Amino acid sequence: MIGYYNISVILTYLGLASSIIGMVQAIEAHPKFAVLCLMISGLCDMFDGTIARKCKRSEDEKSFGIQIDSLCDLICFGAFPAVIVFCVCKAGNNFHLWFTTLCVVFYVLAAVIRLGYFNVSEINRTASETGKRKYYHGLPVTSISLLLPIMLICDALLTRHDLVRFYNMGLVIIGLLFISKIKIKKPYFKGLLAVSLLGAITFLLVIIFGGRF
């Protein structure tokens, strides 16, 4: 078979599988389970890079890892969140789906641009320096795996406006952050612990309030 199959890439594939299952759940009107799948995909992505750095890999395997990570990220954190938001709005009898459609189109386009830019910058960086990346330019697309569940929880608890749901505009704002020039420090041990704790709390809240999505 073509391709490379080390443990870090397999973890990326598991995240992709979770997103595909989540898309099916969203289409079948089970947004709670779809959001949980999104968070599982985010968890897989959180650790695949750490595991990859501990693996002994050839240059081809490293390049393949960069490419496959971004390709899977486009589905997991680009297309998948857009499907969730559209399905939730449709299930809520929102007759203004044109607005939601514009929001998700912009969001996915921003995710594509962000991932393409990251690929170029990461290839250039690894060719000129070694070690870990210290900063991101623009908000990483994987952040949606935590931000979207939080937005859905807030929307379920705070508002039910027919046209502008909380996450409609939330996707637009996040899309703008994807392609902005803001500089964000990449989290490592302490940062990952904090994100993991927030993710665990959010996961529980999705289970508790997911029936309101």
Side-chain angles (χ1 to χ4, degrees):
M1 296 186 293
I2 63 172
Y4 299 95
Y5 302 92
N6 57 55
I7 187 171
S8 65
V9 175
I10 291 173
L11 189 59
T12 302
Y13 293 157
L14 289 175
L16 175 64
S18 177
S19 290
I20 299 300
I21 293 170
M23 286 185 190
V24 174
Q25 293 300 310
I27 293 170
E28 292 294 321
H30 301 298
K32 173 181 176 179
F33 297 109
V35 172
L36 293 176
C37 285
L38 176 63
M39 298 191 73
I40 291 171
S41 295
L43 183 65
C44 291
D45 184 84
M46 182 184 296
F47 293 105
D48 63 0
T50 301
I51 293 173
R53 285 189 292 271
K54 296 182 181 299
C55 296
K56 186 177 180 180
R57 299 179 297 163
S58 67
E59 290 303 315
D60 284 346
E61 286 178 313
K62 291 178 182 178
S63 296
F64 181 82
I66 293 173
Q67 297 301 325
I68 207 67
D69 187 65
S70 285
L71 288 171
C72 290
D73 282 355
L74 177 57
I75 297 173
C76 297
F77 311 116
F80 182 24
V83 170
I84 292 176
V85 169
F86 185 86
C87 290
V88 169
C89 285
K90 186 176 181 181
N93 296 318
N94 188 325
F95 296 106
H96 302 283
L97 287 180
W98 59 268
F99 180 78
T100 300
T101 301
L102 290 177
C103 291
V104 299
V105 166
F106 174 79
Y107 170 81
V108 175
L109 179 59
V112 170
I113 294 170
R114 172 72 178 82
L115 289 167
Y117 179 84
F118 175 81
N119 273 14
V120 173
S121 62
E122 186 66 9
I123 290 171
N124 291 337
R125 186 189 71 82
T126 54
S128 60
E129 62 182 72
T130 58
K132 303 175 182 178
R133 173 183 285 270
K134 295 181 179 180
Y135 292 93
Y136 290 117
H137 292 281
L139 185 69
V141 296
T142 53
S143 60
I144 193 66
S145 63
L146 187 55
L147 294 176
L148 181 60
I150 291 173
M151 287 192 297
L152 287 169
I153 291 168
C154 291
D155 181 80
L157 297 177
L158 299 177
T159 180
R160 281 291 181 183
H161 196 287
D162 187 46
L163 175 59
V164 183
R165 302 290 292 274
F166 190 88
Y167 41 83
N168 288 62
M169 291 307 300
L171 282 188
V172 174
I173 294 170
I174 292 171
L176 288 171
L177 291 174
F178 284 167
I179 56 178
S180 69
K181 292 184 177 182
I182 59 172
K183 197 174 182 180
I184 300 175
K185 188 175 181 179
K186 185 174 181 178
Y188 285 105
F189 183 70
K190 291 183 179 179
L192 290 177
L193 283 179
V195 172
S196 298
L197 178 59
L198 179 59
I201 294 171
T202 305
F203 194 89
L204 290 174
L205 290 175
V206 170
I207 292 175
I208 296 170
F209 297 109
R212 300 187 186 184
F213 294 168

